């Protein structure tokens, strides 16, 4: 009986964590969409929105650190501090990180939430390409076939988006660039993690701290410093509440992603992410009362199937590789939301939300 109760509790924990991941991830996309291109907000300042979320992330990491110092028995957290040397070592990754989240948000600004997943679906393909070009890691024929399936689904999706009259060329371009920089972010993260003692929270701190300064010239170049003071909702508590909520969800997605991997596995996490993307697409179509053709839905299914098969194939291959050569094995896996990236170790799992 005790064993059954323990198993039930385990299932309940898994269900709660997966639900939290879905809710936070989907909510973050809808919040950012509202802030970036809503007719109610009308704030053409994508870099400012992302900059503010980075500021919120840094402040809350220090707040959590302070809380853990006051109540060490109740809450354990890695000490947060800024070291100039480490900050410089992380800087190349931070540049890629800024480009990644900028392209993500610019894509979301120009395309609908329903197309957002398709628009950024080439991340897995770029992971394979960049892993070979930078890390000289080879990919199996089966995994490459899965990538071809994803490319076919992406092309179908772009074509059907034009059929419905909602295609945005800048949105597609930003989506492809977002996929590229997301894959580069995963690769550079793998290289930089030793500088922060493999601590994902420290890496999140340094990435967002550097990003706070890196976004300033982008905001200046885009003319956002002139727009913000005359923004009609600059004193609106509801607007700033959503901005704060977006920052908190951006930080929270990192925690729930890591928690989901911890209570399940990296493979299950990516299957959950793929299913979440499908649910997000359906919710967006219903929420915005959009009409989509049958081929449009098929294109989404093709991308989801290709992504799911790639995750399964690479999981099987890494398991076989681990059995042949025991030791840490890492895998660059697909990303979602603000830039989640999971990295698998055969003995322990770590994840980063950036």
């Amino acid at each position: 009986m005790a064993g059954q109760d323990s198993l039930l509790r385990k299932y309940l924990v898994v269900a709660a964590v997966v639900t939290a991941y879905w809710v936070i991830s989907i909510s973050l996309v809808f919040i950012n969409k509202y802030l970036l291109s809503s007719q109610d907000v009308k704030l053409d300042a994508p870099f400012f929105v992302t900059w503010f979320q980075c500021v919120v992330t840094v402040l809350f990491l220090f707040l959590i650190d302070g809380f853990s110092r006051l109540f060490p028995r109740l809450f354990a957290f890695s000490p947060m501090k800024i070291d100039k040397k480490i900050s410089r070592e992380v800087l190349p990754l931070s540049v890629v990180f800024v480009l990644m989240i900028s392209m993500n948000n610019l894509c979301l600004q120009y395309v609908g939430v329903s197309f957002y997943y398709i628009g950024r679906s080439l991340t897995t393909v770029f992971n394979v390409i960049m892993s070979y070009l930078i890390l000289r890691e080879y990919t199996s024929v089966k995994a490459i076939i899965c990538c071809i399936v994803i490319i076919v689904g992406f092309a179908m999706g772009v074509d059907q988006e034009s059929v419905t009259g909602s295609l945005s060329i800048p949105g597609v371009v930003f989506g492809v660039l977002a996929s590229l920089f997301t894959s580069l972010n995963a690769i550079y993260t793998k290289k930089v993690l030793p500088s922060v003692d493999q601590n994902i929270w420290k890496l999140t701190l340094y990435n967002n701290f550097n990003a706070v300064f890196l976004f300033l010239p982008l905001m200046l170049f885009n003319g956002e410093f002139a727009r913000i003071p005359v923004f009609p909702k600059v004193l609106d508590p509801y607007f700033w509440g959503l901005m704060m909520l977006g920052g908190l969800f951006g930080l929270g997605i990192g925690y729930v992603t890591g928690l989901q991997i911890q209570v399940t596995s990296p493979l299950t996490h990516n299957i959950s992410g793929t299913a979440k993307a499908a649910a997000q697409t359906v919710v967006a179509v219903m929420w915005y009362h959009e009409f989509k053709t049958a081929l449009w839905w098929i294109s989404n299914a093709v991308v989801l199937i290709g992504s799911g098969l790639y995750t399964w194939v690479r999981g099987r291959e890494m398991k076989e590789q681990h059995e042949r050569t025991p030791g840490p094995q890492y895998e660059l896996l697909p990303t979602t939301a603000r830039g989640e990236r999971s990295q698998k170790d055969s003995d322990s799992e770590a994840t980063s939300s950036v």
Side-chain angles (χ1 to χ4, degrees):
M1 194 70 178
Q4 291 180 345
D5 290 341
S6 176
L7 187 62
L8 178 60
R9 282 196 298 270
K10 180 180 178 180
Y11 285 142
L12 290 175
V13 168
V14 170
V17 171
V18 171
T19 300
Y21 169 75
W22 280 42
V23 169
I24 293 176
S25 181
I26 294 175
S27 298
L28 179 60
V29 173
F30 276 86
I31 289 172
N32 279 342
K33 179 62 179 177
Y34 178 81
L35 292 171
L36 290 166
S37 59
S38 168
Q39 289 300 312
D40 183 40
V41 175
K42 296 180 181 178
L43 173 62
D44 185 19
F47 297 124
F48 169 71
V49 171
T50 313
W51 172 84
F52 184 84
Q53 292 179 353
C54 291
V55 171
V56 171
T57 297
V58 172
L59 292 178
F60 268 87
L61 282 173
F62 279 117
L63 183 65
I64 295 171
D65 176 52
F67 184 81
S68 67
R69 291 174 188 270
L70 288 174
F71 307 99
R73 294 184 178 180
L74 297 177
F75 191 75
F77 195 70
S78 302
M80 294 286 111
K81 65 177 182 178
I82 300 296
D83 183 290
K84 292 181 180 179
K85 179 177 178 296
I86 297 177
S87 181
R88 287 193 297 268
E89 292 175 355
V90 177
L91 185 59
L93 169 64
S94 299
V95 173
V96 175
F97 166 76
V98 166
L99 291 171
M100 177 190 72
I101 56 179
S102 296
M103 295 303 106
N104 278 335
N105 280 352
L106 285 170
C107 174
L108 188 58
Q109 183 179 18
Y110 283 95
V111 306
V113 175
S114 58
F115 185 71
Y116 183 55
Y117 175 70
I118 293 288
R120 298 172 57 255
S121 61
L122 296 183
T123 299
T124 300
V125 178
F126 280 117
N127 275 347
V128 171
I129 296 172
M130 292 299 125
S131 293
Y132 172 73
L133 294 177
I134 297 175
L135 304 177
R136 292 300 172 184
E137 293 181 354
Y138 292 88
T139 304
S140 69
V141 174
K142 291 181 180 179
I144 292 175
I145 291 174
C146 294
C147 290
I148 294 174
V149 172
I150 294 172
I151 294 172
V152 170
F154 171 80
M156 288 178 60
V158 172
D159 176 69
Q160 289 305 301
E161 195 76 357
S162 66
V163 169
T164 59
S166 53
L167 177 66
S168 168
I169 298 299
V172 173
V173 172
F174 287 131
V176 173
L177 290 174
S179 300
L180 170 61
F181 287 117
T182 299
S183 67
L184 287 174
N185 181 77
I187 291 171
Y188 277 94
T189 296
K190 185 176 180 179
K191 290 186 173 183
V192 169
L193 271 172
S195 298
V196 291
D197 302 321
Q198 304 291 329
N199 189 304
I200 294 300
W201 288 116
K202 286 183 180 179
L203 183 60
T204 302
L205 173 66
Y206 280 104
N207 247 345
N208 284 273
F209 176 79
N210 288 341
V212 167
F213 299 98
L214 291 172
F215 269 115
L216 295 178
L218 294 177
M219 292 164 59
L220 179 64
F221 177 77
N222 199 38
E224 297 182 14
F225 286 113
R227 297 187 198 122
I228 296 166
V230 297
F231 175 53
K233 295 183 180 291
V234 71
L235 299 178
D236 186 350
Y238 179 72
F239 168 76
W240 289 107
L242 284 179
M243 289 281 283
M244 184 71 70
L245 189 62
L248 288 176
F249 277 14
L251 176 61
I253 194 66
Y255 177 74
V256 294
T257 299
L259 197 59
Q260 181 169 244
I261 291 175
Q262 184 179 12
V263 301
T264 59
S265 69
L267 178 61
T268 303
H269 161 68
N270 282 275
I271 293 173
S272 172
T274 302
K276 187 274 303 180
Q280 178 178 291
T281 300
V282 173
V283 170
V285 170
M286 295 174 62
W287 181 264
Y288 294 109
H289 305 289
E290 298 175 341
F291 170 77
K292 300 298 181 182
T293 65
L295 283 176
W296 187 93
W297 287 107
I298 291 174
S299 71
N300 277 264
V302 171
V303 171
L304 288 167
I305 291 171
S307 300
L309 285 175
Y310 176 86
T311 300
W312 180 77
V313 167
R314 292 298 292 141
R316 289 284 299 272
E317 291 175 351
M318 291 194 67
K319 182 179 179 181
E320 293 172 0
Q321 183 180 357
H322 175 66
E323 290 173 351
R324 290 195 302 268
T325 56
Q329 305 292 335
Y330 296 97
E331 164 68 352
L332 303 179
L333 295 170
T335 60
T336 57
R338 191 174 161 217
E340 292 165 46
R341 179 208 48 87
S342 50
Q343 184 180 37
K344 177 183 175 183
D345 186 303
S346 55
D347 298 314
S348 62
E349 294 90 19
T351 184
S352 169
S353 170
V354 289

